[in-house]
């Protein structure tokens, strides 16, 4: 009773076999149906995300958000979709038509591809491949490609500059993300996401590797291109970046793709670190697993929105410094320490293992903060000392910098 | 024709067609995009050959890094906004002859080999090729030395590329 | 059941396509595209032989991984060279880069 999806799937399979189809064709039809249902479900969720985004940003900014259309403004996203559909579809002169039209499709399709490997319940997973983590990195690489196509095909130098910056940011932030993603792979002993969720049966990985979780969160926000890393669509600087020439529903595809990608990132981080579908009673009633999974995914979506609406934008040189001079060495240190401790404590009791890992992570965090603090102190001293400026002899200014 | 054969046939035709377009199309960015399609077809072929890790690594390394590098280089080295003139040089009939002779010669010579039409053997007891690959790359009895040499090569390439492309003011 | 011959013919065709690209194109970057096609054909060959002849020994896949690394290094250095040449000579047509020094 607690597993409606599997029972419906087996009923359908028996029905198709009863109609006389060969087993190969039955598998094919079931797969196509599964793909169709998953894609539809995820895309309908995407429309709901538009409403969530607008309501939450409104609350962060101390206002109400859309509340006129329907109860609590729930019909608002549908109005948005209708508005985007009836807008004029402009292709700029000199733009490469095929690539121009292909880019928003790729931007949304690569996000949908990610949902194929995320386990939503013990028995509901699109495709249980044993290199799931690497698959996610690969799809991230494909989405970078969609952005270059968009920026280049627009025949617009701002779009091209925006696309270059975007790709530089995304490719740079992939490095600490992959290194930090190796930590749950190491702890679970497998690259398959189902196995990683399965290995968290005693304790969620966020308590055993909190710094790795934090690094994955920060680099995922940078990969998404959301604030504070939203230099790529900085309206005040490069006029909306690579999607400047897109109108109507094509822009809608980019926007919806970004929101869906945020939710997907939330779902992935919850699978890697917060136990995915795990919760009380999830193994016995898989439908509860789906509920826990979405609760955790939406909680992380809310955290990402919280970060977006509280922090100012980061400058591009600060962003690259942050990545190469801070995140990459930190993630390497975390990976090495975790690997050594994992091997040394292989045969010891589980709670000893967990406490030692957590203590090591806290130690690394504390040392990092001390280093940052001393560096900041040096920087403050350098900036605060009175610099010689040309003062007129009659002036009485004694300390030019307050 | 089983389903697997149909899938292989489609993948092979698309890959070779994309490769042909990549080497003949005039607009370089289009050539790079056809190359990406061809690389993706090769990744699918790796998947058909039960080398799942290599399929995903192909997408990450080739499409996610090399193809993007090529597109960047194309965009940074354009004299005018559109490419002028034909992109095929004057010796192309000879190049086509050489390519055909090579392809035909390879296939003809391989047909003499008795193992040419072997059928795929069963993968023994679902031996996990991923963990075998990992162990082989770091085991002293296996391939740790080529692995380390490849790392040094990548470091040398990294440093070399930065120094070569450094803009001297 | 797909016999080995299909994969070998596929990779031979891809290799010849890459060879045509290297020999018949003017732009240096288009030549690099041809080189990439050839490297991919070689990788495909290696993995096909691994799967069909020695699926128990992992040597074929290790070879393919090393080829990945070498291809990435070569493309990086090659493109850096091309960008450097473009900065000095303002051209990347292979026929026009024919003098060692002005």
């Amino acid at each position: 009773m607690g597993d409606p999806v599997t029972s419906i799937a087996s009923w359908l399979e028996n029905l198709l076999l009863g109609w006389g189809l060969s087993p190969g064709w039955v598998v094919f039809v079931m797969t196509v149906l599964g793909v169709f249902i998953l894609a539809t479900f995820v895309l309908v969720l995407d429309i709901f995300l538009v409403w969530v985004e607008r309501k939450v940003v409104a609350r962060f900014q101390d206002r109400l958000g859309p509340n006129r259309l329907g109860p609590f403004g729930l019909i608002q996203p549908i109005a948005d979709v209708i508005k985007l559909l009836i807008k004029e579809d402009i292709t700029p002169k000199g733009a490469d038509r095929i690539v121009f039209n292909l880019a928003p499709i790729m931007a949304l399709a690569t996000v949908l591809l990610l949902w194929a490997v995320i386990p939503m319940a013990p028995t509901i997973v699109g495709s249980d491949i044993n290199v799931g983590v690497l698959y996610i990195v690969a799809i991230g690489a494909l989405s970078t490609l969609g952005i270059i196509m968009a920026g280049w095909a627009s025949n617009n130098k701002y779009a091209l500059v925006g696309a270059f910056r975007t790709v530089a940011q995304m490719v740079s932030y992939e490095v600490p993300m992959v290194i930090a993603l190796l930590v749950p792979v190491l702890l679970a002993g497998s690259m398959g996401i189902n196995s990683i969720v399965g290995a968290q049966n005693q304790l969620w990985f966020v308590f055993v590797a909190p710094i790795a979780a934090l690094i994955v969160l920060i680099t995922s926000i940078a990969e998404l291109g959301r604030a504070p890393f939203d230099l790529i669509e900085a309206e005040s600087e490069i006029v909306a970046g690579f999607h400047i020439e897109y109108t109507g529903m094509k822009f809608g595809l980019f926007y919806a793709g970004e929101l869906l990608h945020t939710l997907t990132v939330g779902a992935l981080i919850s699978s890697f670190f917060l136990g995915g579908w795990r919760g009380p009673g999830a193994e016995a009633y898989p439908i509860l697993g789906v509920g826990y999974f979405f609760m955790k995914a939406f909680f992380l979506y809310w955290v990402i929105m919280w970060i977006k609406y509280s922090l100012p934008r980061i400058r591009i040189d600060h962003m690259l410094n942050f990545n190469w001079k801070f995140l990459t060495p930190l993630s390497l240190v975390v990976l090495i320490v975790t690997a050594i401790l994992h091997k040394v404590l292989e045969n010891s009791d589980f709670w000893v293992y967990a406490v030692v890992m957590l203590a090591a992570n806290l130690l690394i965090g504390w040392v990092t903060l001390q280093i940052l603090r001393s560096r900041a102190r040096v920087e403050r001293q350098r900036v605060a000392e009175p610099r010689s400026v040309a003062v007129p002899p009659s002036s009485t200014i004694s300390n030019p910098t307050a | 024709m089983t389903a697997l054969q149909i899938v292989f046939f489609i993948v092979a035709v698309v890959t070779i067609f994309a490769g042909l377009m990549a080497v003949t199309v005039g607009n370089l960015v289009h050539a790079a995009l056809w190359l990406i399609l061809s690389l993706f077809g090769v990744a699918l072929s790796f998947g058909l050959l039960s080398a799942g890790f290599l399929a995903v690594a192909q997408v990450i390394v080739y499409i996610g890094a090399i193809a993007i590098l090529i597109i960047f280089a194309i965009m940074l080295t354009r004299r005018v906004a559109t490419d002028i003139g034909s992109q095929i040089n004057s010796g192309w009939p000879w190049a086509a002859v050489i390519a055909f002779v090579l392809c035909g010669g390879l296939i003809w010579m391989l047909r003499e080999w008795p193992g040419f039409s072997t059928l795929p053997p069963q993968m023994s007891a679902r031996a996990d090729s991923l963990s075998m690959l990992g162990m082989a790359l770091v085991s002293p009895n296996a391939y740790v030395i080529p692995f380390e040499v490849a790392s040094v090569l990548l470091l040398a390439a990294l440093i070399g590329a930065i120094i070569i492309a450094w803009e001297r003011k | 059941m797909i016999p080995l011959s299909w994969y070998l013919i596929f990779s031979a065709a891809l290799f010849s396509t890459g060879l045509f690209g290297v020999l018949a194109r003017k732009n240096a970057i288009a030549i690099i595209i041809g080189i990439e096609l050839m490297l991919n054909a070689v990788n495909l060959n290696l993995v096909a032989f691994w799967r069909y002849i020695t699926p128990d020994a992992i040597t074929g896949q290790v070879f393919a991984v090393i080829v990945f690394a070498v291809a990435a290094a070569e493309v990086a250095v090659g493109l850096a060279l091309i960008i450097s040449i473009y900065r000095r000579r303002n051209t990347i047509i292979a026929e026009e880069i024919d003098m060692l020094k002005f």
Side-chain angles (χ1 to χ4, degrees):
Chain A
M1 186 51 231
D3 196 3
V5 174
T6 314
S7 36
I8 294 178
S10 48
W11 167 79
L12 191 60
E13 191 171 341
N14 288 331
L15 184 68
L16 287 173
L17 280 171
W19 284 350
L21 287 174
S22 70
W25 279 109
V26 169
V27 169
F28 180 69
V29 167
M30 300 273 297
T31 312
V32 168
L33 208 59
V35 165
F36 189 65
I37 292 177
L38 182 64
T40 311
F41 174 66
V42 167
L43 286 173
V44 168
L45 199 60
D46 197 8
I47 299 180
F48 175 64
L49 285 178
V50 176
W51 175 81
V52 168
E53 177 93 14
R54 290 181 70 168
K55 273 297 202 183
V56 170
V57 62
R59 293 289 170 167
F60 272 114
Q61 294 170 349
D62 203 18
R63 54 187 173 88
L64 283 178
N67 59 356
R68 290 197 182 270
L69 294 174
F72 296 110
L74 278 168
I75 315 289
Q76 177 73 36
I78 302 186
D80 281 340
V81 168
I82 297 177
K83 173 197 81 169
L84 284 173
L85 280 173
I86 59 181
K87 280 204 179 203
E88 181 186 359
D89 192 22
I90 305 174
T91 308
K93 178 176 170 189
D96 199 336
R97 288 203 85 98
I98 299 181
V99 178
F100 187 75
N101 288 325
L102 205 55
I105 300 177
M106 271 204 64
L108 190 58
T110 51
V111 178
L112 283 179
L113 281 173
L114 282 174
W115 281 92
V117 291
I118 306 179
M120 290 197 252
T123 51
I124 304 175
V125 60
S127 164
D128 188 16
I129 53 179
N130 65 339
V131 285
V133 172
L134 221 52
Y135 174 84
I136 289 171
V137 177
I139 302 295
L142 279 182
S143 70
T144 340
L145 198 65
I147 292 176
I148 294 191
M149 283 164 60
W152 178 77
S154 303
N155 199 23
N156 178 337
K157 54 177 165 306
Y158 291 113
L160 200 58
V161 167
F164 277 172
R165 272 174 159 180
T166 309
V167 171
Q169 174 181 314
M170 286 179 139
V171 166
S172 309
Y173 275 87
E174 263 176 29
V175 174
M177 185 166 90
V178 173
I179 299 177
L181 274 178
L182 281 178
V183 172
V185 168
L186 184 69
L187 295 174
S190 159
M191 276 204 266
I193 304 188
N194 228 355
S195 318
I196 294 181
V197 174
Q200 296 183 54
N201 50 357
Q202 285 166 302
L203 192 62
W204 290 352
F205 282 160
V206 72
F207 299 116
V208 181
I211 296 188
L214 205 58
I215 294 178
V216 171
L217 184 66
I218 296 175
T219 52
S220 297
I221 297 179
E223 287 275 324
L224 288 172
R226 270 172 97 84
F229 298 100
D230 65 347
L231 197 66
I232 56 190
E233 47 185 42
E235 272 120 24
S236 48
E237 295 180 23
I238 50 171
V239 202
F242 64 88
H243 50 68
I244 180 180
E245 293 283 355
Y246 285 93
T247 56
M249 204 55 204
K250 292 187 204 148
F251 171 74
L253 283 179
F254 275 119
Y255 184 63
E258 178 181 325
L259 291 181
L260 187 60
H261 202 178
T262 312
L263 181 67
T264 313
V265 158
L268 282 168
I269 299 182
S270 81
S271 297
F272 289 136
F273 292 103
L274 291 181
W277 45 256
R278 287 200 173 276
E283 281 94 348
Y285 300 106
I287 199 74
L288 280 182
V290 177
Y292 293 135
F293 170 77
F294 276 109
M295 273 199 316
K296 294 176 195 173
F298 272 103
F299 168 69
L300 278 168
Y301 183 70
W302 178 80
V303 167
I304 294 178
M305 276 200 288
W306 184 18
I307 297 177
K308 169 172 178 159
Y309 294 118
S310 319
L311 293 176
R313 185 176 297 145
I314 295 188
R315 229 169 60 190
I316 186 137
D317 56 335
H318 285 169
M319 188 176 67
L320 293 172
N321 272 351
F322 180 61
N323 178 42
W324 293 110
K325 297 190 187 172
F326 178 68
L327 281 182
T328 307
L330 180 64
S331 59
L332 281 170
V333 165
V334 165
L335 180 66
I336 294 175
V337 167
T338 308
I340 295 177
L341 282 179
H342 182 77
K343 195 67 188 170
V344 162
L345 297 172
E346 213 169 12
N347 298 317
S348 58
D349 181 39
F350 176 72
W351 290 108
V352 170
Y353 175 82
V355 166
V356 171
M357 283 284 204
L358 185 61
N361 270 294
L362 291 175
L363 183 68
I364 295 176
W366 182 79
V367 167
T368 311
L369 280 177
Q370 293 301 103
I371 296 178
L372 285 177
R373 200 174 285 168
S374 66
R375 284 249 178 106
R377 199 174 302 140
V378 166
E379 185 76 17
R380 268 201 295 269
Q381 291 236 353
R382 194 174 63 83
V383 175
E385 63 192 25
R387 286 176 286 191
S388 55
V389 291
V391 284
S394 60
S395 156
T396 54
I397 298 173
S398 60
N399 190 5
T401 60
Chain B
M1 288 283 250
T2 68
L4 206 60
Q5 291 182 340
I6 298 179
V7 170
F8 170 78
F9 201 63
I10 296 176
V11 167
V13 163
V14 166
T15 308
I16 296 181
F17 177 69
L20 276 170
M21 296 299 283
V23 296
T24 49
V25 154
N27 185 342
L28 263 188
V29 180
H30 282 180
L33 291 175
W34 282 115
L35 176 71
I36 289 174
L37 184 60
S38 176
L39 294 172
F40 194 71
V42 172
L44 289 177
S45 313
F46 284 155
L48 283 173
L49 284 167
S50 328
F53 173 74
L54 282 181
V56 182
Q58 163 94 355
V59 174
I60 298 179
V61 170
Y62 271 98
I63 302 180
I66 291 180
I68 292 187
L69 256 185
I70 290 179
I71 293 182
F72 264 67
I74 293 173
M75 289 186 200
L76 287 173
T77 57
R78 288 191 301 170
R79 265 188 291 192
V80 291
T82 54
D83 306 79
I84 39 178
S86 156
Q87 289 291 323
I88 305 267
N89 67 22
S90 54
W92 72 267
W94 285 111
V97 163
I98 294 178
F100 270 116
V101 162
L102 181 68
C103 185
L106 276 173
I107 297 175
W108 180 67
M109 276 176 27
L110 280 171
R111 277 178 48 196
E112 315 281 321
W113 179 51
F116 190 51
S117 298
T118 49
L119 292 176
Q122 286 294 101
M123 299 275 289
S124 54
R126 202 51 267 174
D128 189 12
S129 69
L130 184 60
S131 64
M132 275 171 63
L133 181 63
M135 293 289 283
L137 280 175
V138 294
S139 155
N141 300 331
Y143 301 100
V144 68
I145 295 186
F147 181 59
E148 297 297 331
V149 168
S151 320
V152 173
L153 175 72
L154 283 170
L155 180 66
L158 178 70
I159 298 177
I162 292 177
I163 292 184
I164 292 174
W166 197 281
E167 244 182 84
R168 283 181 184 84
K169 299 272 168 111
Chain C
M1 287 284 125
I2 304 175
L4 178 60
S5 51
W6 291 21
Y7 280 105
L8 295 182
I9 297 175
F10 176 25
S11 88
L14 203 58
F15 188 84
S16 314
T17 312
L19 185 66
F20 176 72
V22 168
L23 293 175
R25 295 279 260 170
K26 282 188 195 166
N27 198 317
I29 300 184
I31 298 178
I32 289 195
I33 290 179
I35 296 178
E36 288 312 303
L37 281 173
M38 289 202 281
L39 281 166
N40 269 288
V42 164
N43 254 345
L44 194 58
N45 225 344
L46 283 168
V47 177
F49 272 117
W50 166 77
R51 174 71 179 89
Y52 280 71
I53 311 288
T54 59
D56 298 322
I58 201 72
T59 312
Q61 285 202 22
V62 172
F63 238 107
V65 167
I66 305 283
V67 171
F68 275 161
V70 169
E74 163 232 337
V75 166
V77 175
L79 289 174
L81 279 170
I82 288 179
I83 292 181
S84 180
I85 292 176
Y86 180 76
R87 287 212 188 110
R88 282 165 219 262
R89 305 291 171 91
N90 208 28
T91 175
I92 47 169
I93 308 288
E95 297 168 334
E96 297 177 13
I97 308 170
D98 55 358
M99 288 198 279
L100 283 178
K101 196 177 155 123
F102 278 152

